[in-house]
Amino acid sequence: MRVTLVRRAAATAIYFRSRSPVLSGRDGRVELRDIEIFLTLAEELHFGRTAERLRVSQARVSQSIKQQERRIGGALFERTSRSVRLTPLGERLRDRLRTGYGEIMSGIDEAAAAARGQAGTLTVGTMATQYQAIAAVLDLFRQRHPQCELRLREILPTDPLGALRAGRVDIGLLWLPIREPDLVVGPVLHTEKLVLAVACDHRLAGRDSVEMEDLGDYPVAFPDGPIPDYVWEAHTPAVTPAGRPIRRGLGVATLEEAFRATASGSVISPIGSDAAATRRRGDITFLPITDGPTLRYAPVWRSDAETPLVRAFVQAAADAQKTT
């Protein structure tokens, strides 16, 4: 991107030198500041206001215009004691310079923004509707980096690391723990409790709540994907608090598959409370798990792909947490 911006600015400058006889003058050189002074005076038509706007002395403005007129060989402004106005030569120069100058300054601004990590594209992956839980972080990042395109993609809970390692997302909002040598974990941004999804005609459906011990009595949906065992253990342990094994029922790859299997009555399914709140169904009941684990979510990124934009997002996440 930086190479493209530099080439764009350079090409515009070459265009000025080669195609504008007014700008080429006798020595072929015009300082960018002098162009800015000329265009500002052409807009203000007042030496004092031009000097104030550019924060230079009025003498500097007058000197610049005189130098340009000597270089070009003709008057650019008609001056009287009461007014300043462009000559036909000045109008021609203004029209030729205005677009090109704006293009050069835009190129410089974009290059500087890219160097500061404020431009480009940042892709953030979340599970289901978890992006809603970090809305304050997303808003703060967008406010600070309006030139960055922020994209959101869904990450499968059964394959939380795949999108990161494949480069499909730059940052993933994942539940902890994440203990991978190639990944970096940021600050915790969100927490949620587990609830138990059961079919409406299931024997547990009439209860107000359940306990983790109840999971030892029924087959439980398990992830059919490359999720590390230790990550899933934080979600659904292998045994109940009393040490009874929690039986694996049907393997599911997506949340929708888990819901379908649950609605059929073949399994029960612990899921995050946020997903439950946004997926109300007539064939499933969601029960609080009184002693269930708390899921903690944090931004995770590849250590070899840490960019200024990634660091900017993590900083926005940390700052947003301070205000909540």
Side-chain angles (χ1 to χ4, degrees), residues 65-127:
I65 297 301
K66 288 179 181 178
Q67 287 177 344
Q68 292 184 59
E69 290 177 330
R70 284 197 301 270
R71 183 181 295 114
I72 292 166
L76 300 176
F77 295 91
E78 292 181 359
R79 311 163 179 82
T80 69
S81 58
R82 294 184 179 182
S83 66
V84 176
R85 65 192 182 106
L86 284 163
T87 64
L89 184 63
E91 291 178 351
R92 178 187 173 193
L93 180 60
R94 176 201 59 196
D95 295 342
R96 293 292 297 273
L97 288 183
R98 184 179 287 160
T99 300
Y101 176 78
E103 184 73 7
I104 288 176
M105 297 311 295
S106 294
I108 292 172
D109 289 344
E110 289 176 20
R116 294 192 301 269
Q118 295 181 356
T121 301
L122 184 71
T123 304
V124 177
T126 66
M127 299 179 186

Side-chain angles (χ1 to χ4, degrees), residues 23 29-41 50-57 60-61 63-65 67-68 71 97 101 104-105 108:
L23 259 179
R29 293 178 299 173
V30 176
E31 297 293 334
L32 193 60
R33 185 60 162 171
D34 290 327
I35 295 175
E36 183 180 28
I37 289 173
F38 168 76
L39 289 175
T40 304
L41 182 59
T50 298
E52 182 178 356
R53 178 168 157 185
L54 297 178
R55 297 186 179 181
V56 298
S57 67
R60 172 71 176 89
V61 175
Q63 179 186 33
S64 173
I65 297 301
Q67 287 177 344
Q68 292 184 59
R71 183 181 295 114
L97 288 183
Y101 176 78
I104 288 176
M105 297 311 295
I108 292 172

Side-chain angles (χ1 to χ4, degrees), residues 123-131 151-160 162-164 168-169 171-174 253-256 275 279:
T123 304
V124 177
T126 66
M127 299 179 186
T129 58
Q130 288 298 323
Y131 66 90
R151 297 177 181 173
L152 300 178
R153 297 194 68 175
E154 185 173 354
I155 290 178
L156 291 179
T158 55
D159 184 18
L164 269 177
R168 293 192 297 273
V169 301
I171 297 176
L173 184 66
L174 310 181
T254 66
L255 187 60
E256 185 58 35
R279 305 290 181 92

